[in-house]
Amino acid sequence: MKTLLRLATMPRVWLHVTWTWIVFFSWSGDNSAQETVLPQGEARAPIVSGYFPDRVHEFVFRNWNVVEPVKLAKILDASVGEVTALAVSMGLPPSVAVPPAMRQRGYVTLIRRNWHLLPYDQLLQLVEMTPERLAFALREDDFLWVKLGSLKPQCEPLHYRPPDEAARHRAAEIRRVIEEDFGEEIRRPAEPRFDFVRQLSTPLPSLLPNSRENPGVPLRIAYSYLAVYGDPLMHPELDPYPDGLLKRCSDVGINGVWLHVVLRELAPGGKTFPEFGVDSQTRLANLRSLVERAARYPESFFKARPELAGVHEDEYAALCTSQPEVREWMTASLAHVFSSVPGLAGVITITASENLTNCASHGRWRDCPRCKKRSDAEIIADVNAAMATGIHRGNPNANVLVYDWGWRGWGNAPDTVK
């Protein structure tokens, strides 16, 4: 679900709200914080590149100039000089200053590059996260855990050792390839990483006159190129819609902008789900600020409420929307959000997406003991109706747009949604 905010002369904000799926991971190992928070998945050996002399050389190559040499050295238990010598031996350019935005906005790149190289201990050092923060990123950052294969490879810790003759020979071959293919270009000054944030935050001269809200004007909704996906309303310093970008959007006729939120993080769960809504007031305050300017849970959750668990997929389960209390929570939560943020213009619902948001979202509702007696059309209609009821209770003038993407794409049941 995506949420919309709208002002008279500026883009209104829509939210993409993920609401019903609960993540629970199976754990192994001891009782340390890492083992009880970070997912493991199926135990597999990492994918090993045959191109580099060894994993240490690959680690330096993949992270050079996106991570400070001093941090690379600390992780490898080496000196900065030893790490720099490895980089030079492979033809990499001199080190440059790494902007803080690389860690704040580019952490998914760091996670991906090192997923098959580092064990969790060293990966946490690299991205400067707690186990809880990394677990949240894997769970909530646009299905990152699934995109990484739903498993953490069993990587041995990386430690520096002086390269032997074979490693030095292979590094020299890599250096020759880089010199032949890139020449001096690789050493020339480049545009700073994430400089597009500064550029897009600067308003352009008006291209079009700002038009007052007109019911006849079609919706033109855009997503921020600056957005960090995970939890934008808890990190206002990473503002996905600075004033300059909102001005740019308005000037080219965009009248809606959206951002991703998780409903259980945005509104309290009341007596039904008291675990929900931690820091929701902070998120709502930041959402109100955006409107004004622009116009986690482990398996114990279902152990206490087994009757609410719907379809399971690997380490995920959906809250079953055939249960009245689930729909009541959705309705009450959205009423709370829309009454707390009066300028919020509406939602876009996607009820059959990559996320397991309801028992019918992936075409497997017959696996649920409650939903199997119903059609997927009834289930999805109930989901949208529960949301619309709450949204209109909070703001009768809010819009509810129902997107049918994926309704035919999931599952092969004969009575798929028409």
Side-chain angles (χ1 to χ4, degrees):
M1 186 176 69
K2 298 176 173 61
T3 306
L4 166 76
L5 249 118
R6 189 159 33 187
L7 293 179
T9 61
M10 293 291 283
R12 298 180 74 184
V13 178
W14 295 75
L15 300 182
H16 172 190
V17 181
T18 301
W19 67 94
T20 57
W21 58 283
I22 300 294
V23 184
F24 58 93
F25 294 124
S26 58
W27 316 117
S28 60
D30 59 30
N31 293 322
S32 67
Q34 173 181 310
E35 291 291 341
T36 57
V37 172
L38 292 167
Q40 302 294 333
E42 181 183 350
R44 289 191 188 180
I47 297 173
V48 178
S49 170
Y51 186 78
F52 294 94
D54 49 51
R55 292 168 59 233
V56 171
H57 278 80
E58 183 175 359
F59 172 72
V60 172
F61 193 98
R62 284 182 174 273
N63 294 287
W64 192 249
N65 280 347
V66 296
V67 178
E68 303 86 345
V70 65
K71 185 187 293 185
L72 299 179
K74 184 177 180 180
I75 291 171
L76 293 174
D77 194 20
S79 68
V80 174
E82 288 168 332
V83 168
T84 302
L86 292 182
V88 171
S89 73
M90 293 183 286
L92 296 178
S95 62
V96 298
V98 178
M102 190 64 226
R103 185 178 71 256
Q104 297 165 342
R105 296 180 177 271
Y107 59 87
V108 172
T109 294
L110 298 178
I111 293 171
R112 287 192 297 104
R113 289 189 180 187
N114 294 278
W115 194 244
H116 286 262
L117 283 172
L118 298 179
Y120 270 135
D121 283 342
Q122 291 180 312
L123 186 61
L124 290 169
Q125 282 184 269
L126 187 76
V127 296
E128 296 185 22
M129 290 183 180
T130 64
E132 292 79 9
R133 174 69 185 89
L134 178 56
F136 182 89
L138 293 172
R139 183 174 68 243
E140 302 294 358
D141 279 15
D142 200 19
F143 241 35
L144 181 57
W145 171 249
V146 174
K147 292 176 179 177
L148 290 169
S150 299
L151 60 89
K152 178 66 180 81
Q154 293 183 312
C155 303
E156 293 296 323
L158 279 187
H159 298 293
Y160 174 83
R161 290 184 301 177
D164 58 20
E165 184 177 350
R168 293 194 297 271
H169 177 74
R170 184 58 186 150
E173 291 179 332
I174 294 173
R175 182 186 182 98
R176 282 195 294 273
V177 170
I178 289 178
E179 290 174 346
E180 291 173 4
D181 287 355
F182 298 102
E184 287 302 311
E185 187 69 26
I186 198 173
R187 289 172 170 76
R188 293 177 182 172
E191 182 178 278
R193 292 182 188 273
F194 298 100
D195 191 59
F196 63 86
V197 175
R198 177 192 62 79
Q199 295 174 27
L200 292 177
S201 299
T202 304
L204 294 171
S206 292
L207 303 178
L208 297 172
N210 284 324
S211 59
R212 291 285 170 180
E213 190 169 333
N214 185 337
V217 175
L219 286 174
R220 301 184 182 96
I221 302 173
Y223 185 70
S224 175
Y225 194 64
L226 316 182
V228 176
Y229 199 88
D231 195 4
L233 295 177
M234 279 300 292
H235 298 282
E237 71 278 9
L238 300 178
D239 183 5
Y241 293 106
D243 290 339
L245 180 57
L246 291 172
K247 178 71 164 54
R248 283 171 174 250
C249 291
S250 178
D251 286 345
V252 296
I254 293 170
N255 56 16
V257 294
W258 65 273
L259 67 155
H260 169 267
V261 297
V262 181
L263 182 55
R264 66 174 182 269
E265 306 284 353
L266 194 60
K271 295 181 179 179
T272 307
F273 306 130
E275 301 97 326
F276 291 179
V278 177
D279 294 325
S280 62
Q281 290 304 315
T282 299
R283 293 182 178 89
L284 287 173
N286 289 328
L287 181 57
R288 279 192 293 269
S289 174
L290 177 56
V291 170
E292 290 165 0
R293 287 188 303 105
R296 77 190 127 161
Y297 298 97
E299 192 174 2
S300 60
F301 179 89
F302 285 123
K303 284 183 178 178
R305 308 172 182 89
E307 74 284 358
L308 299 186
V311 170
H312 289 66
E313 288 186 2
D314 299 322
E315 294 161 330
Y316 298 86
L319 278 168
C320 179
T321 56
S322 289
Q323 292 287 59
E325 54 262 60
V326 174
R327 298 196 304 276
E328 290 167 4
W329 164 73
M330 294 167 60
T331 296
S333 295
L334 286 164
H336 176 80
V337 171
F338 276 80
S339 61
S340 299
V341 189
L344 206 55
V347 300
I348 306 169
T349 74
I350 301 179
T351 44
S353 67
E354 295 88 349
N355 290 337
L356 181 64
T357 55
N358 61 79
C359 293
S361 60
H362 289 179
R364 295 182 49 234
W365 72 96
R366 291 195 182 92
D367 293 346
C368 173
R370 291 162 298 278
C371 293
K372 67 180 181 181
K373 300 176 183 178
R374 313 179 68 202
S375 72
D376 53 349
E378 291 176 307
I379 296 165
I380 288 177
D382 274 355
V383 170
N384 283 292
M387 289 190 288
T389 299
I391 291 161
H392 291 146
R393 184 183 300 168
N395 180 359
N397 297 318
N399 298 280
V400 180
L401 305 184
V402 178
Y403 189 12
D404 63 358
W405 182 83
W407 281 4
R408 290 178 178 268
W410 295 101
N412 298 305
D415 56 341
T416 51
V417 176
K418 300 297 190 290

